[in-house]
Amino acid sequence: MPASDLALLEQAAHEAGEIALRYWRREPRVWDKGDGAGPVTEADLAVNAHLERLLRRARPDYGWLSEESADDPARLQAEHCFIIDPIDGTRAFIDGQVGFSHALAITRGDRVVAGVVHLPAQRTTYAASADGPALRDGKPIAPSAQGLRGARVLTSKASLDPVHWRGAAPPVKRSFRPSLAWRLCLVADGQFDATLSTRPAWEWDVAAGSLIAARAGCLASDLSGAPMRFNAARPLTDGLVVAAPALHRQLIAAMTPRMAMPGGRVDAPPPAD
């Protein structure tokens, strides 16, 4: 990875934030993408257009995967690929909440090598490269050492349905945040102990945050406990579990094995944000 790739992502994320804040709390135009894909705003598209111009001009040989761009199969042949969510937490953005983010990642092969999650309304930036520490606003971060009982877990109510667990759901304290990328970062810096999803996750929602969590000292896996892979032909992960290693092992051990669940693997797309 070129040494300047992370700096490029940070520059792009901050410029994205400046664009998004021009629309935030100013009643941007909103419409539904259809087919269960959820809402999109003129801000999503403006941010996406700017990022694509900036990043592809800077790295013309990199592939491109974004929630708001038509998928180009040529990305599968590129050594590096951008994976972008222009606005993660669009519904929160529409509602004027502060919990939306810009999630930008670069992969080499199927591994993320640079990632940035920027929350412009909170003036907070998380960043990491494959060979460096995870940072929040330039300062190193680390996860908590909490065990399973009483763990603060960012997840949906559906993920604690007993069908996903060996017996009852574990004794955790559930919370929720609108941006999935932000959830991974909150675990990376110890504000929460774990995040998990029993539904598939789009790559653009988790690519950047998964690297930040890993470089902070977490394990970031799918529901089977296997490392997540990226820039796939169908850009979905089979759920996710992110926590410090000991808690991660406890969560995986407590979960119903994937192939033991009715219907086996979950292949339906996740609900839109």
Side-chain angles (χ1 to χ4, degrees), residues 21-72:
L21 291 178
R22 294 174 199 156
Y23 295 89
W24 183 56
R25 294 180 174 175
R26 297 184 182 182
E27 299 185 355
R29 288 185 294 127
V30 181
W31 57 95
D32 192 272
K33 291 189 280 190
D35 297 324
V40 65
T41 74
E42 58 182 322
D44 294 81
L45 301 187
V47 169
N48 189 65
H50 178 77
L51 291 176
E52 187 163 8
R53 283 193 303 269
L54 172 66
L55 296 174
R56 301 196 83 171
R57 185 178 301 156
R59 302 288 187 270
D61 56 329
Y62 285 20
W64 181 262
L65 174 64
S66 168
E67 179 176 12
E68 307 303 345
S69 298
D71 195 5
D72 181 355

